[in-house]
Amino acid sequence: YFICTGRSHGGLPSSILEMGADGYSLCAGAFVRLYDKEIRNVHFSQATLDFILNRLNQFETLQYLECGLRLYTNHYGTPVSKHFNEEFGIRESNLEPLRVTQGLQVNKISVTFKNMADIDAMEDFADHGITVLVQPSPDSFDITLSGSTKRDGIKAVTEYLGDPKDAIVYAFGDNYNDIEMIEFADVGVAMGNGPQDLKNKADYITKNVEEDGVLFALKELGLI
């Protein structure tokens, strides 16, 4: 089984890492590893990365640059970063200070604005092949390359493994950036707390995350 997540490996909490998954589709499908083998790595070009950061750095922002297995922040060791790390279960030992970006293969950027009025700085990102997705907290966003989704991460895995006739792909999601993945899977499962647009595409709707919806669905679908 795979952990398919918007986070990088460094941003995963210990409870997830200790599960011992066979592989990881990270950074919203941009970085995929199977049995310690890298099979997909879609990252910003240096020019695009410079464009994004030059824009964001004009404002007060907390940034996490997600590079597959590595995680960098512009607020390394500060109270604001420590609070964020605690809230999302990020181990500080997995973090590195963001000093230079030259040569970094950045798959995704997570940004939180101090002032909501500043989010207009990203309004033209789509014109540059960049997708911005708002997170549950309205001041926080994920920034990825347009056209790269969690679906592509799963597709990379299925193509690498081949297509056994008896193989069934199950996918679980709870946000808008899971829609393509839910559509692609043989059985797409929407969490009860997910948006209606996601539920409309799902084959099965389970309980909320807080109600152990994944475990409930695994049992209901006969997977465990």
Side-chain angles (χ1 to χ4, degrees), residues 70-90:
R70 304 167 72 183
L71 184 62
Y72 300 83
T73 181
N74 64 332
H75 276 271
Y76 182 81
T78 67
V80 64
S81 178
K82 290 181 178 180
H83 174 76
F84 189 92
N85 298 340
E86 291 175 3
E87 182 177 359
F88 291 94
I90 299 173

Side-chain angles (χ1 to χ4, degrees), residues 37-217:
K37 180 180 178 63
E38 180 182 310
I39 62 174
R40 176 175 165 84
N41 187 353
V42 176
H43 52 83
F44 297 111
S45 68
Q46 190 65 50
T48 300
L49 180 62
D50 291 342
F51 167 78
I52 294 170
L53 295 182
N54 286 339
R55 185 71 63 81
L56 296 181
N57 289 339
Q58 297 177 38
F59 309 95
E60 292 187 69
T61 59
L62 170 63
Q63 302 166 19
Y64 284 80
L65 273 63
E66 303 177 32
C67 306
L69 302 181
R70 304 167 72 183
L71 184 62
Y72 300 83
T73 181
N74 64 332
H75 276 271
Y76 182 81
T78 67
V80 64
S81 178
K82 290 181 178 180
H83 174 76
F84 189 92
N85 298 340
E86 291 175 3
E87 182 177 359
F88 291 94
I90 299 173
R91 295 183 297 184
E92 292 209 24
S93 59
N94 289 344
L95 275 173
E96 300 180 48
L98 179 61
R99 295 193 175 96
V100 295
T101 63
Q102 193 70 33
L104 292 184
Q105 295 184 351
V106 180
N107 307 108
K108 184 169 78 76
I109 299 172
S110 298
V111 60
T112 300
F113 286 83
K114 182 176 181 180
N115 300 307
M116 284 293 294
D118 296 336
I119 66 175
D120 290 344
M122 303 183 294
E123 64 180 358
D124 67 337
F125 275 14
D127 298 334
H128 298 269
I130 303 164
T131 293
V132 177
L133 176 72
V134 65
Q135 292 302 298
S137 176
D139 58 353
S140 297
F141 302 84
D142 282 349
I143 301 173
T144 62
L145 280 169
S146 298
S148 179
T149 70
K150 292 182 182 180
R151 172 197 60 200
D152 300 303
I154 291 182
K155 186 177 179 182
V157 173
T158 58
E159 290 179 348
Y160 182 85
L161 294 176
D163 188 22
K165 292 182 179 180
D166 59 346
I168 300 176
V169 176
Y170 293 81
F172 294 73
D174 67 352
N175 207 344
Y176 289 101
N177 65 339
D178 297 317
I179 290 177
E180 294 91 350
M181 175 182 69
I182 292 296
E183 289 183 306
F184 178 81
D186 297 308
V187 180
V189 181
M191 305 303 296
N193 54 287
Q196 190 58 48
D197 287 349
L198 176 69
K199 294 177 181 177
N200 291 342
K201 300 293 185 180
D203 300 293
Y204 180 86
I205 300 173
T206 186
K207 295 182 178 181
N208 293 353
V209 171
E210 295 79 8
E211 299 174 307
D212 292 329
V214 172
L215 178 61
F216 179 82

